[in-house]
């Protein structure tokens, strides 16, 4: 899922991509691959390619 967001630090419009949790459960290496691809994309500068700002992994919250 991709969300249109606002970076509150820079006031820039950004896209936030969230991986499907079911896909991650079936293929845990998907997260590692996604982060690696994001880091590689940070090195690309082209007017027709979205600029990668940051990659991060947010741990799932456990509810009691």
């Amino acid at each position: 899922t991709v969300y249109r967001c606002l970076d509150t630090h820079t006031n820039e419009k950004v896209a936030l991509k969230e991986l499907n949790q079911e896909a991650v459960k079936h293929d845990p290496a998907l997260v590692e691959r996604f982060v690696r691809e994001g880091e590689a994309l940070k090195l690309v500068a082209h007017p027709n390619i979205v600029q990668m700002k940051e990659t991060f992994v947010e741990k799932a919250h456990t509810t009691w």
Side-chain angles (χ1 to χ4, degrees):
T1 307
V2 179
Y3 301 95
R4 187 181 342 176
C5 301
L6 180 68
D7 182 330
T8 58
H9 295 285
T10 64
N11 252 5
E12 289 180 296
K13 292 179 186 176
V14 297
L16 175 71
K17 185 171 185 177
E18 177 181 47
L19 293 178
N20 179 292
Q21 293 302 310
E22 288 301 314
V24 172
K25 285 180 187 176
H26 294 312
D27 184 7
L30 180 66
V31 173
E32 195 174 303
R33 191 167 54 247
F34 185 76
V35 170
R36 248 191 345 265
E37 289 173 4
E39 292 300 319
L41 188 55
K42 284 182 181 180
L43 303 175
V44 176
H46 190 278
N48 295 330
I49 299 177
V50 173
Q51 183 183 11
M52 173 64 72
K53 297 284 188 174
E54 183 177 356
T55 57
F56 62 92
V57 177
E58 182 175 286
K59 303 292 182 192
H61 298 284
T62 304
T63 57
W64 300 94

